[in-house]
Amino acid sequence: MSSQQRTVIIFKKESESTDVYAETLLGHNFQPLFVPTLSFGYKNLEQLRNKLRTPDKYAGIIFTSPRCVEAVGEALQLGELPGGWKLLHNYAVGEVTHNLAMSMLQQLFTHGKQTGNARNLADFIVDTFDGSRNLPLLLPCGNLATDTLLSKLVENGFCVDACEVYETKCNPQLAECMERALKAENIEFLAFFSPSGVNCAYEYFKAHNIVPDQWKLVAIGPSTRRALESLGLKVFCTAERPTVEHLVKVLLNPQESRERLVRERMDLA
């Protein structure tokens, strides 16, 4: 590693997008290290399977994370998603989730990938939905899902059938992964991708008397920023969306991120 490269510890499991993250960050002279903070277990898949068999009873489906798409794939047990879903109003938060639905669920197209977080996706659905609100939108979700999207949709007259299909836990190998990562040279940034990832990492820091504020803390999305701030931690900058392009943008120009946050808070005041 070049002595000029600045290390970014990314609290995110390695996946199909890892190579893109690594290549893009290295191209801007950042050295990425991935630390998987979370592990996942599926649940209620038979219940989900029964719902998936009846697309005629739904207005569409909403995927708020890649795990939701994977849970649908698990529920189908390598079978195909009924074709009727392709005719409905389907949505995904972020490009990774959208792309996974396309590849795993027989090219199921979803809208809203540009929204980047649940709050923005809820606004997008409310503003663009042109179907019947008498039928529910199917919402496979995890045990730590917030009510942001659900509440917004219900407030605007939508029916939502939320189905808890996976559980999020701290990665049992987190301590080992963290210890290895923190031995790296030139660590400058810690980048967090989810509130639950923040909580798991914070538990490790607290248990080992490590002060995370010694590094620059980067939040991916507003809910992750709020999770860091709720623990009394100072957020250096916030990426608008969970993409490597948005991450690189705030690493290179953090001041723009901070100015945007000030404007948003003034608008809410």
Side-chain angles (χ1 to χ4, degrees), residues 139-158:
L139 178 65
C141 59
N143 61 313
L144 299 182
T146 64
D147 292 334
T148 301
L149 185 143
L150 178 61
S151 298
K152 177 79 173 183
L153 293 179
V154 171
E155 287 170 8
N156 285 272
F158 287 86

Side-chain angles (χ1 to χ4, degrees), residues 158-170:
F158 287 86
C159 298
V160 181
D161 182 4
C163 181
E164 193 172 296
V165 295
Y166 69 89
E167 287 187 320
T168 303
K169 302 176 183 178
C170 294

Side-chain angles (χ1 to χ4, degrees), residues 62-158:
I62 303 172
F63 298 112
T64 56
S65 74
R67 263 72 57 196
C68 298
V69 178
E70 291 165 354
V72 167
E74 288 289 325
L76 294 171
Q77 295 179 324
L78 302 180
E80 291 195 356
L81 183 73
W85 287 101
K86 292 187 177 181
L87 306 175
L88 304 181
H89 298 77
N90 304 308
Y91 303 93
V93 171
E95 292 186 15
V96 172
T97 306
H98 166 85
N99 292 340
L100 192 61
M102 288 286 287
S103 63
M104 182 176 281
L105 303 177
Q106 294 81 55
Q107 300 295 302
L108 182 70
F109 184 84
T110 58
H111 299 275
K113 65 179 181 180
Q114 75 283 359
T115 56
N117 62 61
R119 188 184 304 273
N120 290 344
L121 180 61
D123 290 337
F124 176 82
I125 295 173
V126 169
D127 292 341
T128 63
F129 186 84
D130 60 358
S132 170
R133 299 191 184 187
N134 294 324
L135 292 174
L137 289 161
L138 180 59
L139 178 65
C141 59
N143 61 313
L144 299 182
T146 64
D147 292 334
T148 301
L149 185 143
L150 178 61
S151 298
K152 177 79 173 183
L153 293 179
V154 171
E155 287 170 8
N156 285 272
F158 287 86

Side-chain angles (χ1 to χ4, degrees), residues 26-51:
L26 286 168
H28 289 86
N29 219 30
F30 295 105
Q31 176 68 39
L33 292 177
F34 293 89
V35 173
T37 51
L38 306 173
S39 63
F40 304 97
Y42 300 114
K43 60 192 293 188
N44 300 325
L45 294 186
E46 184 175 353
Q47 179 185 355
L48 176 61
R49 187 181 309 121
N50 291 333
K51 295 175 186 293

Side-chain angles (χ1 to χ4, degrees), residues 117-260:
N117 62 61
R119 188 184 304 273
N120 290 344
L121 180 61
D123 290 337
F124 176 82
I125 295 173
V126 169
D127 292 341
T128 63
F129 186 84
D130 60 358
S132 170
R133 299 191 184 187
N134 294 324
L135 292 174
L137 289 161
L138 180 59
L139 178 65
C141 59
N143 61 313
L144 299 182
T146 64
D147 292 334
T148 301
L149 185 143
L150 178 61
S151 298
K152 177 79 173 183
L153 293 179
V154 171
E155 287 170 8
N156 285 272
F158 287 86
C159 298
V160 181
D161 182 4
C163 181
E164 193 172 296
V165 295
Y166 69 89
E167 287 187 320
T168 303
K169 302 176 183 178
C170 294
N171 177 11
Q173 279 81 48
L174 176 58
E176 179 184 335
C177 295
M178 192 80 82
E179 185 177 336
R180 187 164 53 245
L182 293 178
K183 291 178 180 177
E185 298 177 6
N186 300 335
I187 299 173
E188 185 171 347
F189 303 96
L190 306 184
F192 298 87
F193 271 72
S194 69
S196 47
V198 167
N199 292 333
C200 289
Y202 184 72
E203 287 301 315
Y204 172 86
F205 291 134
K206 188 168 65 173
H208 292 79
N209 296 315
I210 295 172
V211 180
D213 280 347
Q214 65 186 286
W215 301 289
K216 296 172 182 175
L217 308 185
V218 182
I220 311 301
S223 61
T224 304
R225 183 192 70 236
R226 288 191 291 270
L228 286 164
E229 291 174 339
S230 72
L231 295 170
L233 299 173
K234 182 179 179 181
V235 178
F236 179 69
C237 58
T238 305
E240 290 182 82
R241 295 174 188 164
T243 70
V244 66
E245 290 80 12
H246 285 86
L247 175 57
V248 168
K249 181 180 178 182
V250 295
L251 292 178
L252 294 174
N253 188 7
Q255 184 59 32
E256 180 182 335
S257 161
R258 292 195 286 270
E259 290 173 352
R260 185 179 67 251

